[in-house]
Amino acid sequence: MKGSTRVNIQDKLPLTCSRRGTCCHGNLVMLNPWELVSLAREKTITPREFRDLYCDYGGIRVRFDGEVGWKGKKACSQYISNFGCSVHIGRPLACRLFPLGRQKQCDEVHYMYQGDEFPCLEGCPEVSGLLLLTVGDYLKGQKTEKFEKAQDEYLDIVQNLADIAFFLLLDTGLAESGDTETLELWRKTGKELPEMLAAGIGPEWIDSLMIPEILVDTEDPVSFAYKHNEMLQQKAQDKFGDLQTFPEIQKASVLIMGVALYLARGLGANPETLVEHWIDIAKKNGAVE
Ligand code: SF4
Ligand code: SF4
C-alpha cells in the first residue's frame, strides 16, 4: 500500500455514502478550537463541557469510546447506533472530507485519500454501485468551505505561535549567548505523546487555546480565529514581556513551541516533522545545538 493517492477536483469517485457508519468506528478525528465550538453548538452545551465530556488530550481529538461495532472497533462518542452522527450539522472537517484528506502546502490545497485503494471499499463495498461524484461536487455537498477556512486560519495561528518561540530564542540574545539547549528542548517537545505534551503545557494555556471565551459571531471562522489570535498574542505578551534571565526566556520559548505543536497536532500535522523544519530554520538564523 502506498502512502496516499492524490485526487483532482474533477475526478469522479464513488463518493456517495451508503451511511453504514463504518468510518465512525476506530477512526481518528482531530479538532481545531473553532470546530470544538461548532460541535458544542450542535450539542447545545458549552465548548468546555463538550471538551471535557467527549474529547481527549485537552480537546484536540474526539473520543472514540462508544459501542463496539465495525471490525470490533469502538464508535465515536457522537455516534448513535441505527441513527448515525448526533452532531451531523456541526461535524468537523475530517468527517466532512472522509474518505478524502486535505493538505495545504505553499498556499496550494490538495485532496487525497490514504493508500491506493479507495478507503470506503473496505467497509462499505456497496459504494461502488452508487452514484459517482466529482471531488468538487462532493466537497460542496459536504459544505466544507467554512471548515476549510477555519483550518487555514489556525494553520496561520500555529505559525504565529512558533514565531514567538523563534523571537524568544533569536531576538533576545539567548542564541547569541551560546545557548545549545533550546533546540534540543524544542525537539523533545515535538516527540512528546499528546497527553504528555498537554500536561507539560498546562491547563491555563490549553484552555486559552482550545476553549477561548470569544464573543464574536462564532459561526464565522475567520473573525473567530482573528480574535483568538489576538488573545493568544496578548497572553504571550503578558506572560513573556518582562522576562529578564536566559533560563526564563528559554523556558518560555520551549513552552510556546509546545503550544504551537499541540495546536498543529489538532490540525493533523506531524509535530515531529514540523519541529525539525523549525529547528533547521532557527539554525540558519544563528541558533546552535
Ligand atoms: S466508509 Fe464511506 S461509505 Fe461507508 S459510511 Fe464512511 S463515508 Fe460512508
Ligand atoms: S463526529 Fe459524527 S461523523 Fe464524525 S466520526 Fe463522530 S459520529 Fe462520525
Side-chain angles (χ1 to χ4, degrees), residues 21 23-25 27 29 39 62-64 75-80 84-88 91-92 94-96:
C23 54
C24 297
H25 292 77
N27 221 328
V29 175
L39 285 165
V62 179
R63 195 171 293 153
F64 274 61
C76 170
S77 55
Q78 305 310 304
Y79 187 74
I80 300 175
C85 179
S86 64
V87 287
H88 183 74
R91 71 199 185 286
C95 306
R96 286 167 195 270

mmCIF file with all atom_site columns, all heavy atoms in Angstrom, residues 21 23-25 27 29 39 62-64 75-80 84-88 91-92 94-96, ligand 2:
data_model
loop_
_atom_site.group_PDB
_atom_site.id
_atom_site.type_symbol
_atom_site.label_atom_id
_atom_site.label_alt_id
_atom_site.label_comp_id
_atom_site.label_asym_id
_atom_site.label_entity_id
_atom_site.label_seq_id
_atom_site.pdbx_PDB_ins_code
_atom_site.Cartn_x
_atom_site.Cartn_y
_atom_site.Cartn_z
_atom_site.occupancy
_atom_site.B_iso_or_equiv
_atom_site.pdbx_formal_charge
_atom_site.auth_seq_id
_atom_site.auth_comp_id
_atom_site.auth_asym_id
_atom_site.auth_atom_id
_atom_site.pdbx_PDB_model_num
ATOM   1   N  N   . GLY A 1 21 ? -21.927 3.856  8.455  1.00 0.00 ? 21 GLY A N   1
ATOM   2   C  CA  . GLY A 1 21 ? -21.270 4.318  9.686  1.00 0.00 ? 21 GLY A CA  1
ATOM   3   C  C   . GLY A 1 21 ? -19.963 3.633  10.007 1.00 0.00 ? 21 GLY A C   1
ATOM   4   O  O   . GLY A 1 21 ? -19.434 3.780  11.119 1.00 0.00 ? 21 GLY A O   1
ATOM   5   N  N   . CYS A 1 23 ? -16.985 4.293  9.036  1.00 0.00 ? 23 CYS A N   1
ATOM   6   C  CA  . CYS A 1 23 ? -15.869 5.220  9.298  1.00 0.00 ? 23 CYS A CA  1
ATOM   7   C  C   . CYS A 1 23 ? -16.059 5.993  10.607 1.00 0.00 ? 23 CYS A C   1
ATOM   8   O  O   . CYS A 1 23 ? -15.175 6.750  10.998 1.00 0.00 ? 23 CYS A O   1
ATOM   9   C  CB  . CYS A 1 23 ? -15.675 6.168  8.116  1.00 0.00 ? 23 CYS A CB  1
ATOM   10  S  SG  . CYS A 1 23 ? -17.169 7.044  7.681  1.00 0.00 ? 23 CYS A SG  1
ATOM   11  N  N   . CYS A 1 24 ? -17.185 5.804  11.272 1.00 0.00 ? 24 CYS A N   1
ATOM   12  C  CA  . CYS A 1 24 ? -17.374 6.416  12.601 1.00 0.00 ? 24 CYS A CA  1
ATOM   13  C  C   . CYS A 1 24 ? -16.891 5.461  13.694 1.00 0.00 ? 24 CYS A C   1
ATOM   14  O  O   . CYS A 1 24 ? -17.186 5.648  14.871 1.00 0.00 ? 24 CYS A O   1
ATOM   15  C  CB  . CYS A 1 24 ? -18.832 6.788  12.823 1.00 0.00 ? 24 CYS A CB  1
ATOM   16  S  SG  . CYS A 1 24 ? -19.416 8.035  11.665 1.00 0.00 ? 24 CYS A SG  1
ATOM   17  N  N   . HIS A 1 25 ? -16.177 4.400  13.289 1.00 0.00 ? 25 HIS A N   1
ATOM   18  C  CA  . HIS A 1 25 ? -15.613 3.434  14.237 1.00 0.00 ? 25 HIS A CA  1
ATOM   19  C  C   . HIS A 1 25 ? -14.100 3.389  14.081 1.00 0.00 ? 25 HIS A C   1
ATOM   20  O  O   . HIS A 1 25 ? -13.586 3.307  12.962 1.00 0.00 ? 25 HIS A O   1
ATOM   21  C  CB  . HIS A 1 25 ? -16.185 2.036  13.982 1.00 0.00 ? 25 HIS A CB  1
ATOM   22  C  CG  . HIS A 1 25 ? -17.640 1.937  14.307 1.00 0.00 ? 25 HIS A CG  1
ATOM   23  N  ND1 . HIS A 1 25 ? -18.615 2.437  13.477 1.00 0.00 ? 25 HIS A ND1 1
ATOM   24  C  CD2 . HIS A 1 25 ? -18.273 1.440  15.397 1.00 0.00 ? 25 HIS A CD2 1
ATOM   25  C  CE1 . HIS A 1 25 ? -19.801 2.231  14.037 1.00 0.00 ? 25 HIS A CE1 1
ATOM   26  N  NE2 . HIS A 1 25 ? -19.616 1.637  15.205 1.00 0.00 ? 25 HIS A NE2 1
ATOM   27  N  N   . ASN A 1 27 ? -11.761 5.438  14.217 1.00 0.00 ? 27 ASN A N   1
ATOM   28  C  CA  . ASN A 1 27 ? -11.108 6.436  13.365 1.00 0.00 ? 27 ASN A CA  1
ATOM   29  C  C   . ASN A 1 27 ? -10.411 7.499  14.224 1.00 0.00 ? 27 ASN A C   1
ATOM   30  O  O   . ASN A 1 27 ? -10.493 7.475  15.454 1.00 0.00 ? 27 ASN A O   1
ATOM   31  C  CB  . ASN A 1 27 ? -12.156 7.090  12.451 1.00 0.00 ? 27 ASN A CB  1
ATOM   32  C  CG  . ASN A 1 27 ? -11.618 7.293  11.057 1.00 0.00 ? 27 ASN A CG  1
ATOM   33  O  OD1 . ASN A 1 27 ? -10.418 7.524  10.889 1.00 0.00 ? 27 ASN A OD1 1
ATOM   34  N  ND2 . ASN A 1 27 ? -12.486 7.246  10.060 1.00 0.00 ? 27 ASN A ND2 1
ATOM   35  N  N   . VAL A 1 29 ? -10.318 11.503 14.697 1.00 0.00 ? 29 VAL A N   1
ATOM   36  C  CA  . VAL A 1 29 ? -10.919 12.787 14.304 1.00 0.00 ? 29 VAL A CA  1
ATOM   37  C  C   . VAL A 1 29 ? -10.300 13.881 15.162 1.00 0.00 ? 29 VAL A C   1
ATOM   38  O  O   . VAL A 1 29 ? -10.560 13.973 16.365 1.00 0.00 ? 29 VAL A O   1
ATOM   39  C  CB  . VAL A 1 29 ? -12.459 12.746 14.460 1.00 0.00 ? 29 VAL A CB  1
ATOM   40  C  CG1 . VAL A 1 29 ? -13.064 14.107 14.169 1.00 0.00 ? 29 VAL A CG1 1
ATOM   41  C  CG2 . VAL A 1 29 ? -13.058 11.713 13.512 1.00 0.00 ? 29 VAL A CG2 1
ATOM   42  N  N   . LEU A 1 39 ? -19.124 21.894 17.336 1.00 0.00 ? 39 LEU A N   1
ATOM   43  C  CA  . LEU A 1 39 ? -19.681 20.662 17.908 1.00 0.00 ? 39 LEU A CA  1
ATOM   44  C  C   . LEU A 1 39 ? -20.514 20.964 19.151 1.00 0.00 ? 39 LEU A C   1
ATOM   45  O  O   . LEU A 1 39 ? -21.598 20.410 19.341 1.00 0.00 ? 39 LEU A O   1
ATOM   46  C  CB  . LEU A 1 39 ? -18.543 19.704 18.271 1.00 0.00 ? 39 LEU A CB  1
ATOM   47  C  CG  . LEU A 1 39 ? -17.879 18.997 17.086 1.00 0.00 ? 39 LEU A CG  1
ATOM   48  C  CD1 . LEU A 1 39 ? -16.549 18.378 17.495 1.00 0.00 ? 39 LEU A CD1 1
ATOM   49  C  CD2 . LEU A 1 39 ? -18.798 17.922 16.525 1.00 0.00 ? 39 LEU A CD2 1
ATOM   50  N  N   . VAL A 1 62 ? -11.539 13.960 19.086 1.00 0.00 ? 62 VAL A N   1
ATOM   51  C  CA  . VAL A 1 62 ? -12.835 13.441 19.526 1.00 0.00 ? 62 VAL A CA  1
ATOM   52  C  C   . VAL A 1 62 ? -12.608 12.040 20.099 1.00 0.00 ? 62 VAL A C   1
ATOM   53  O  O   . VAL A 1 62 ? -11.852 11.242 19.536 1.00 0.00 ? 62 VAL A O   1
ATOM   54  C  CB  . VAL A 1 62 ? -13.836 13.361 18.340 1.00 0.00 ? 62 VAL A CB  1
ATOM   55  C  CG1 . VAL A 1 62 ? -15.172 12.796 18.819 1.00 0.00 ? 62 VAL A CG1 1
ATOM   56  C  CG2 . VAL A 1 62 ? -14.041 14.722 17.702 1.00 0.00 ? 62 VAL A CG2 1
ATOM   57  N  N   . ARG A 1 63 ? -13.239 11.788 21.236 1.00 0.00 ? 63 ARG A N   1
ATOM   58  C  CA  . ARG A 1 63 ? -13.048 10.497 21.895 1.00 0.00 ? 63 ARG A CA  1
ATOM   59  C  C   . ARG A 1 63 ? -13.847 9.405  21.165 1.00 0.00 ? 63 ARG A C   1
ATOM   60  O  O   . ARG A 1 63 ? -15.001 9.632  20.788 1.00 0.00 ? 63 ARG A O   1
ATOM   61  C  CB  . ARG A 1 63 ? -13.538 10.626 23.345 1.00 0.00 ? 63 ARG A CB  1
ATOM   62  C  CG  . ARG A 1 63 ? -13.095 9.515  24.242 1.00 0.00 ? 63 ARG A CG  1
ATOM   63  C  CD  . ARG A 1 63 ? -13.425 9.833  25.693 1.00 0.00 ? 63 ARG A CD  1
ATOM   64  N  NE  . ARG A 1 63 ? -12.651 10.947 26.216 1.00 0.00 ? 63 ARG A NE  1
ATOM   65  C  CZ  . ARG A 1 63 ? -13.062 11.746 27.196 1.00 0.00 ? 63 ARG A CZ  1
ATOM   66  N  NH1 . ARG A 1 63 ? -14.233 11.570 27.752 1.00 0.00 ? 63 ARG A NH1 1
ATOM   67  N  NH2 . ARG A 1 63 ? -12.291 12.727 27.622 1.00 0.00 ? 63 ARG A NH2 1
ATOM   68  N  N   . PHE A 1 64 ? -13.236 8.270  20.979 1.00 0.00 ? 64 PHE A N   1
ATOM   69  C  CA  . PHE A 1 64 ? -13.920 7.114  20.386 1.00 0.00 ? 64 PHE A CA  1
ATOM   70  C  C   . PHE A 1 64 ? -14.116 6.074  21.492 1.00 0.00 ? 64 PHE A C   1
ATOM   71  O  O   . PHE A 1 64 ? -13.317 5.160  21.645 1.00 0.00 ? 64 PHE A O   1
ATOM   72  C  CB  . PHE A 1 64 ? -13.109 6.540  19.212 1.00 0.00 ? 64 PHE A CB  1
ATOM   73  C  CG  . PHE A 1 64 ? -13.401 7.236  17.913 1.00 0.00 ? 64 PHE A CG  1
ATOM   74  C  CD1 . PHE A 1 64 ? -13.158 8.588  17.763 1.00 0.00 ? 64 PHE A CD1 1
ATOM   75  C  CD2 . PHE A 1 64 ? -13.962 6.558  16.843 1.00 0.00 ? 64 PHE A CD2 1
ATOM   76  C  CE1 . PHE A 1 64 ? -13.449 9.257  16.576 1.00 0.00 ? 64 PHE A CE1 1
ATOM   77  C  CE2 . PHE A 1 64 ? -14.260 7.207  15.648 1.00 0.00 ? 64 PHE A CE2 1
ATOM   78  C  CZ  . PHE A 1 64 ? -14.000 8.556  15.511 1.00 0.00 ? 64 PHE A CZ  1
ATOM   79  N  N   . ALA A 1 75 ? -17.040 2.942  18.595 1.00 0.00 ? 75 ALA A N   1
ATOM   80  C  CA  . ALA A 1 75 ? -17.628 4.051  17.831 1.00 0.00 ? 75 ALA A CA  1
ATOM   81  C  C   . ALA A 1 75 ? -17.186 5.389  18.416 1.00 0.00 ? 75 ALA A C   1
ATOM   82  O  O   . ALA A 1 75 ? -16.804 5.489  19.588 1.00 0.00 ? 75 ALA A O   1
ATOM   83  C  CB  . ALA A 1 75 ? -19.149 3.961  17.874 1.00 0.00 ? 75 ALA A CB  1
ATOM   84  N  N   . CYS A 1 76 ? -17.299 6.395  17.588 1.00 0.00 ? 76 CYS A N   1
ATOM   85  C  CA  . CYS A 1 76 ? -17.098 7.776  18.031 1.00 0.00 ? 76 CYS A CA  1
ATOM   86  C  C   . CYS A 1 76 ? -18.094 8.093  19.145 1.00 0.00 ? 76 CYS A C   1
ATOM   87  O  O   . CYS A 1 76 ? -19.222 7.582  19.148 1.00 0.00 ? 76 CYS A O   1
ATOM   88  C  CB  . CYS A 1 76 ? -17.342 8.686  16.825 1.00 0.00 ? 76 CYS A CB  1
ATOM   89  S  SG  . CYS A 1 76 ? -17.429 10.428 17.233 1.00 0.00 ? 76 CYS A SG  1
ATOM   90  N  N   . SER A 1 77 ? -17.675 8.954  20.064 1.00 0.00 ? 77 SER A N   1
ATOM   91  C  CA  . SER A 1 77 ? -18.558 9.339  21.177 1.00 0.00 ? 77 SER A CA  1
ATOM   92  C  C   . SER A 1 77 ? -19.838 10.013 20.673 1.00 0.00 ? 77 SER A C   1
ATOM   93  O  O   . SER A 1 77 ? -20.819 10.107 21.408 1.00 0.00 ? 77 SER A O   1
ATOM   94  C  CB  . SER A 1 77 ? -17.814 10.284 22.120 1.00 0.00 ? 77 SER A CB  1
ATOM   95  O  OG  . SER A 1 77 ? -17.309 11.400 21.403 1.00 0.00 ? 77 SER A OG  1
ATOM   96  N  N   . GLN A 1 78 ? -19.852 10.462 19.426 1.00 0.00 ? 78 GLN A N   1
ATOM   97  C  CA  . GLN A 1 78 ? -21.023 11.159 18.875 1.00 0.00 ? 78 GLN A CA  1
ATOM   98  C  C   . GLN A 1 78 ? -21.899 10.255 18.018 1.00 0.00 ? 78 GLN A C   1
ATOM   99  O  O   . GLN A 1 78 ? -22.881 10.697 17.437 1.00 0.00 ? 78 GLN A O   1
ATOM   100 C  CB  . GLN A 1 78 ? -20.571 12.374 18.042 1.00 0.00 ? 78 GLN A CB  1
ATOM   101 C  CG  . GLN A 1 78 ? -19.697 13.330 18.794 1.00 0.00 ? 78 GLN A CG  1
ATOM   102 C  CD  . GLN A 1 78 ? -20.296 13.701 20.135 1.00 0.00 ? 78 GLN A CD  1
ATOM   103 O  OE1 . GLN A 1 78 ? -21.424 14.179 20.214 1.00 0.00 ? 78 GLN A OE1 1
ATOM   104 N  NE2 . GLN A 1 78 ? -19.558 13.458 21.202 1.00 0.00 ? 78 GLN A NE2 1
ATOM   105 N  N   . TYR A 1 79 ? -21.538 8.974  17.945 1.00 0.00 ? 79 TYR A N   1
ATOM   106 C  CA  . TYR A 1 79 ? -22.251 8.058  17.049 1.00 0.00 ? 79 TYR A CA  1
ATOM   107 C  C   . TYR A 1 79 ? -23.375 7.349  17.799 1.00 0.00 ? 79 TYR A C   1
ATOM   108 O  O   . TYR A 1 79 ? -23.186 6.857  18.900 1.00 0.00 ? 79 TYR A O   1
ATOM   109 C  CB  . TYR A 1 79 ? -21.267 7.020  16.488 1.00 0.00 ? 79 TYR A CB  1
ATOM   110 C  CG  . TYR A 1 79 ? -21.875 6.143  15.427 1.00 0.00 ? 79 TYR A CG  1
ATOM   111 C  CD1 . TYR A 1 79 ? -22.117 6.633  14.153 1.00 0.00 ? 79 TYR A CD1 1
ATOM   112 C  CD2 . TYR A 1 79 ? -22.232 4.826  15.721 1.00 0.00 ? 79 TYR A CD2 1
ATOM   113 C  CE1 . TYR A 1 79 ? -22.688 5.830  13.177 1.00 0.00 ? 79 TYR A CE1 1
ATOM   114 C  CE2 . TYR A 1 79 ? -22.798 4.017  14.745 1.00 0.00 ? 79 TYR A CE2 1
ATOM   115 C  CZ  . TYR A 1 79 ? -23.016 4.530  13.480 1.00 0.00 ? 79 TYR A CZ  1
ATOM   116 O  OH  . TYR A 1 79 ? -23.590 3.736  12.523 1.00 0.00 ? 79 TYR A OH  1
ATOM   117 N  N   . ILE A 1 80 ? -24.553 7.305  17.170 1.00 0.00 ? 80 ILE A N   1
ATOM   118 C  CA  . ILE A 1 80 ? -25.681 6.597  17.775 1.00 0.00 ? 80 ILE A CA  1
ATOM   119 C  C   . ILE A 1 80 ? -26.064 5.450  16.843 1.00 0.00 ? 80 ILE A C   1
ATOM   120 O  O   . ILE A 1 80 ? -26.350 5.680  15.655 1.00 0.00 ? 80 ILE A O   1
ATOM   121 C  CB  . ILE A 1 80 ? -26.884 7.549  17.971 1.00 0.00 ? 80 ILE A CB  1
ATOM   122 C  CG1 . ILE A 1 80 ? -26.488 8.717  18.889 1.00 0.00 ? 80 ILE A CG1 1
ATOM   123 C  CG2 . ILE A 1 80 ? -28.088 6.806  18.520 1.00 0.00 ? 80 ILE A CG2 1
ATOM   124 C  CD1 . ILE A 1 80 ? -27.566 9.772  19.059 1.00 0.00 ? 80 ILE A CD1 1
ATOM   125 N  N   . GLY A 1 84 ? -26.861 7.275  13.472 1.00 0.00 ? 84 GLY A N   1
ATOM   126 C  CA  . GLY A 1 84 ? -25.722 7.917  12.807 1.00 0.00 ? 84 GLY A CA  1
ATOM   127 C  C   . GLY A 1 84 ? -25.117 8.992  13.688 1.00 0.00 ? 84 GLY A C   1
ATOM   128 O  O   . GLY A 1 84 ? -25.152 8.906  14.919 1.00 0.00 ? 84 GLY A O   1
ATOM   129 N  N   . CYS A 1 85 ? -24.625 10.041 13.038 1.00 0.00 ? 85 CYS A N   1
ATOM   130 C  CA  . CYS A 1 85 ? -23.912 11.086 13.762 1.00 0.00 ? 85 CYS A CA  1
ATOM   131 C  C   . CYS A 1 85 ? -24.891 12.003 14.494 1.00 0.00 ? 85 CYS A C   1
ATOM   132 O  O   . CYS A 1 85 ? -25.792 12.570 13.873 1.00 0.00 ? 85 CYS A O   1
ATOM   133 C  CB  . CYS A 1 85 ? -23.076 11.891 12.770 1.00 0.00 ? 85 CYS A CB  1
ATOM   134 S  SG  . CYS A 1 85 ? -22.177 13.237 13.550 1.00 0.00 ? 85 CYS A SG  1
ATOM   135 N  N   . SER A 1 86 ? -24.691 12.192 15.791 1.00 0.00 ? 86 SER A N   1
ATOM   136 C  CA  . SER A 1 86 ? -25.605 13.039 16.582 1.00 0.00 ? 86 SER A CA  1
ATOM   137 C  C   . SER A 1 86 ? -25.278 14.520 16.433 1.00 0.00 ? 86 SER A C   1
ATOM   138 O  O   . SER A 1 86 ? -26.010 15.368 16.929 1.00 0.00 ? 86 SER A O   1
ATOM   139 C  CB  . SER A 1 86 ? -25.536 12.645 18.062 1.00 0.00 ? 86 SER A CB  1
ATOM   140 O  OG  . SER A 1 86 ? -24.235 12.904 18.554 1.00 0.00 ? 86 SER A OG  1
ATOM   141 N  N   . VAL A 1 87 ? -24.160 14.828 15.765 1.00 0.00 ? 87 VAL A N   1
ATOM   142 C  CA  . VAL A 1 87 ? -23.759 16.236 15.610 1.00 0.00 ? 87 VAL A CA  1
ATOM   143 C  C   . VAL A 1 87 ? -23.534 16.558 14.126 1.00 0.00 ? 87 VAL A C   1
ATOM   144 O  O   . VAL A 1 87 ? -22.656 17.349 13.780 1.00 0.00 ? 87 VAL A O   1
ATOM   145 C  CB  . VAL A 1 87 ? -22.472 16.541 16.420 1.00 0.00 ? 87 VAL A CB  1
ATOM   146 C  CG1 . VAL A 1 87 ? -22.757 16.602 17.905 1.00 0.00 ? 87 VAL A CG1 1
ATOM   147 C  CG2 . VAL A 1 87 ? -21.365 15.534 16.119 1.00 0.00 ? 87 VAL A CG2 1
ATOM   148 N  N   . HIS A 1 88 ? -24.355 15.914 13.284 1.00 0.00 ? 88 HIS A N   1
ATOM   149 C  CA  . HIS A 1 88 ? -24.095 15.949 11.839 1.00 0.00 ? 88 HIS A CA  1
ATOM   150 C  C   . HIS A 1 88 ? -23.863 17.371 11.320 1.00 0.00 ? 88 HIS A C   1
ATOM   151 O  O   . HIS A 1 88 ? -22.912 17.619 10.577 1.00 0.00 ? 88 HIS A O   1
ATOM   152 C  CB  . HIS A 1 88 ? -25.269 15.291 11.110 1.00 0.00 ? 88 HIS A CB  1
ATOM   153 C  CG  . HIS A 1 88 ? -25.077 15.216 9.632  1.00 0.00 ? 88 HIS A CG  1
ATOM   154 N  ND1 . HIS A 1 88 ? -24.203 14.325 9.043  1.00 0.00 ? 88 HIS A ND1 1
ATOM   155 C  CD2 . HIS A 1 88 ? -25.618 15.943 8.629  1.00 0.00 ? 88 HIS A CD2 1
ATOM   156 C  CE1 . HIS A 1 88 ? -24.217 14.497 7.739  1.00 0.00 ? 88 HIS A CE1 1
ATOM   157 N  NE2 . HIS A 1 88 ? -25.060 15.471 7.448  1.00 0.00 ? 88 HIS A NE2 1
ATOM   158 N  N   . ARG A 1 91 ? -20.494 18.707 12.460 1.00 0.00 ? 91 ARG A N   1
ATOM   159 C  CA  . ARG A 1 91 ? -19.352 17.756 12.419 1.00 0.00 ? 91 ARG A CA  1
ATOM   160 C  C   . ARG A 1 91 ? -18.093 18.423 11.855 1.00 0.00 ? 91 ARG A C   1
ATOM   161 O  O   . ARG A 1 91 ? -18.182 19.313 11.022 1.00 0.00 ? 91 ARG A O   1
ATOM   162 C  CB  . ARG A 1 91 ? -19.729 16.492 11.625 1.00 0.00 ? 91 ARG A CB  1
ATOM   163 C  CG  . ARG A 1 91 ? -19.872 16.700 10.139 1.00 0.00 ? 91 ARG A CG  1
ATOM   164 C  CD  . ARG A 1 91 ? -20.674 15.568 9.507  1.00 0.00 ? 91 ARG A CD  1
ATOM   165 N  NE  . ARG A 1 91 ? -20.743 15.680 8.053  1.00 0.00 ? 91 ARG A NE  1
ATOM   166 C  CZ  . ARG A 1 91 ? -21.483 16.558 7.391  1.00 0.00 ? 91 ARG A CZ  1
ATOM   167 N  NH1 . ARG A 1 91 ? -22.205 17.457 8.038  1.00 0.00 ? 91 ARG A NH1 1
ATOM   168 N  NH2 . ARG A 1 91 ? -21.498 16.560 6.073  1.00 0.00 ? 91 ARG A NH2 1
ATOM   169 N  N   . PRO A 1 92 ? -16.942 17.966 12.326 1.00 0.00 ? 92 PRO A N   1
ATOM   170 C  CA  . PRO A 1 92 ? -15.686 18.624 11.921 1.00 0.00 ? 92 PRO A CA  1
ATOM   171 C  C   . PRO A 1 92 ? -15.257 18.297 10.490 1.00 0.00 ? 92 PRO A C   1
ATOM   172 O  O   . PRO A 1 92 ? -15.828 17.415 9.839  1.00 0.00 ? 92 PRO A O   1
ATOM   173 C  CB  . PRO A 1 92 ? -14.668 18.086 12.925 1.00 0.00 ? 92 PRO A CB  1
ATOM   174 C  CG  . PRO A 1 92 ? -15.259 16.864 13.495 1.00 0.00 ? 92 PRO A CG  1
ATOM   175 C  CD  . PRO A 1 92 ? -16.744 16.946 13.372 1.00 0.00 ? 92 PRO A CD  1
ATOM   176 N  N   . ALA A 1 94 ? -12.644 16.765 9.283  1.00 0.00 ? 94 ALA A N   1
ATOM   177 C  CA  . ALA A 1 94 ? -12.168 15.403 8.998  1.00 0.00 ? 94 ALA A CA  1
ATOM   178 C  C   . ALA A 1 94 ? -13.341 14.507 8.603  1.00 0.00 ? 94 ALA A C   1
ATOM   179 O  O   . ALA A 1 94 ? -13.224 13.679 7.696  1.00 0.00 ? 94 ALA A O   1
ATOM   180 C  CB  . ALA A 1 94 ? -11.463 14.834 10.225 1.00 0.00 ? 94 ALA A CB  1
ATOM   181 N  N   . CYS A 1 95 ? -14.497 14.684 9.265  1.00 0.00 ? 95 CYS A N   1
ATOM   182 C  CA  . CYS A 1 95 ? -15.667 13.859 8.979  1.00 0.00 ? 95 CYS A CA  1
ATOM   183 C  C   . CYS A 1 95 ? -16.332 14.285 7.668  1.00 0.00 ? 95 CYS A C   1
ATOM   184 O  O   . CYS A 1 95 ? -16.867 13.464 6.936  1.00 0.00 ? 95 CYS A O   1
ATOM   185 C  CB  . CYS A 1 95 ? -16.687 13.956 10.112 1.00 0.00 ? 95 CYS A CB  1
ATOM   186 S  SG  . CYS A 1 95 ? -15.975 13.572 11.713 1.00 0.00 ? 95 CYS A SG  1
ATOM   187 N  N   . ARG A 1 96 ? -16.321 15.583 7.389  1.00 0.00 ? 96 ARG A N   1
ATOM   188 C  CA  . ARG A 1 96 ? -16.896 16.080 6.137  1.00 0.00 ? 96 ARG A CA  1
ATOM   189 C  C   . ARG A 1 96 ? -16.105 15.565 4.947  1.00 0.00 ? 96 ARG A C   1
ATOM   190 O  O   . ARG A 1 96 ? -16.652 15.265 3.891  1.00 0.00 ? 96 ARG A O   1
ATOM   191 C  CB  . ARG A 1 96 ? -16.907 17.619 6.115  1.00 0.00 ? 96 ARG A CB  1
ATOM   192 C  CG  . ARG A 1 96 ? -17.949 18.175 7.011  1.00 0.00 ? 96 ARG A CG  1
ATOM   193 C  CD  . ARG A 1 96 ? -17.803 19.665 7.253  1.00 0.00 ? 96 ARG A CD  1
ATOM   194 N  NE  . ARG A 1 96 ? -18.622 19.980 8.386  1.00 0.00 ? 96 ARG A NE  1
ATOM   195 C  CZ  . ARG A 1 96 ? -19.911 20.341 8.321  1.00 0.00 ? 96 ARG A CZ  1
ATOM   196 N  NH1 . ARG A 1 96 ? -20.492 20.503 7.162  1.00 0.00 ? 96 ARG A NH1 1
ATOM   197 N  NH2 . ARG A 1 96 ? -20.603 20.551 9.408  1.00 0.00 ? 96 ARG A NH2 1
HETATM 198 S  S1  . SF4 B 2 .  ? -18.357 13.317 14.665 1.00 0.00 ? 2  SF4 B S1  1
HETATM 199 FE FE1 . SF4 B 2 .  ? -20.062 12.293 13.672 1.00 0.00 ? 2  SF4 B FE1 1
HETATM 200 S  S2  . SF4 B 2 .  ? -19.355 11.869 11.567 1.00 0.00 ? 2  SF4 B S2  1
HETATM 201 FE FE2 . SF4 B 2 .  ? -17.546 12.322 12.812 1.00 0.00 ? 2  SF4 B FE2 1
HETATM 202 S  S3  . SF4 B 2 .  ? -16.792 10.302 13.487 1.00 0.00 ? 2  SF4 B S3  1
HETATM 203 FE FE3 . SF4 B 2 .  ? -18.140 11.132 15.084 1.00 0.00 ? 2  SF4 B FE3 1
HETATM 204 S  S4  . SF4 B 2 .  ? -20.169 10.265 14.647 1.00 0.00 ? 2  SF4 B S4  1
HETATM 205 FE FE4 . SF4 B 2 .  ? -18.920 10.031 12.800 1.00 0.00 ? 2  SF4 B FE4 1
#
